[in-house]
Each structure stands twice: as structure tokens, then as C-alpha cells.
Amino acid sequence: MAGEPLSNIIDRLTASYDEVAAASAYDSFIVNRSLEVALNDLKAVVKGSDSGCNPGVMKYQSELVTLLRSIQEGVDEISE
């Protein structure tokens, strides 16, 4: 069974990084890790209540940068 090509994974992670970087321009954002939690956060945003949907954009941005660097280092090693 073949997995997803590495280039697709890198493209998706790069897009995620761009999305997280853009998130700081918004009042709220929803992290879709659990359907139930994401749905509750979405309802709170629609109602205009403070749901805590903005849990530190920079935290996720830093995690993605670290992950992308790690993957790139692995790709570089494979290419050598």
C-alpha cells in the first residue's frame, strides 16, 4: 500500500502554515481537531460569544515551521 507522496504532504503543510499565518488577521479561528469541539466553537462564533477560539495563533505557526524544517531536512538527506 503506497502512502501519499511526500511532495503532497509538504504542499499541504505549507498551505497550513499560510492559513495559520493569515489567522492572526481574524478575531477568531477554529482548530478542527475534534468535530464536537469545532462545532461548539463555530456556534459560539456565530452567536458572538467569547468561546476561546483563538488559542494562540503563533503557537501553531511555530509548530508548523518546526515540522516543515524537519521534513525539509529529511528530504535533503534523501536527495544527497
Side-chain angles (χ1 to χ4, degrees):
M1 180 174 150
E4 185 173 355
L6 183 59
S7 61
N8 289 2
I9 294 169
I10 292 170
D11 290 345
R12 288 180 34 225
L13 289 170
T14 301
S16 296
Y17 173 81
D18 293 340
E19 291 168 4
V20 170
S24 62
Y26 298 91
D27 294 332
S28 299
F29 74 96
I30 298 168
V31 177
N32 189 14
R33 290 189 180 172
S34 159
L35 178 60
E36 184 178 344
V37 173
L39 182 58
N40 288 335
D41 286 348
L42 177 60
K43 289 176 183 178
V45 169
V46 170
K47 289 179 182 178
S49 62
D50 181 11
S51 66
C53 296
N54 194 353
V57 174
M58 296 309 290
K59 173 187 174 205
Y60 296 103
Q61 191 173 15
S62 297
E63 289 175 0
L64 282 168
V65 167
T66 301
L67 183 57
L68 286 170
R69 284 184 183 148
S70 175
I71 290 171
Q72 187 59 53
E73 288 171 5
V75 170
D76 291 345
E77 286 180 17
I78 291 170
S79 299
E80 293 176 352

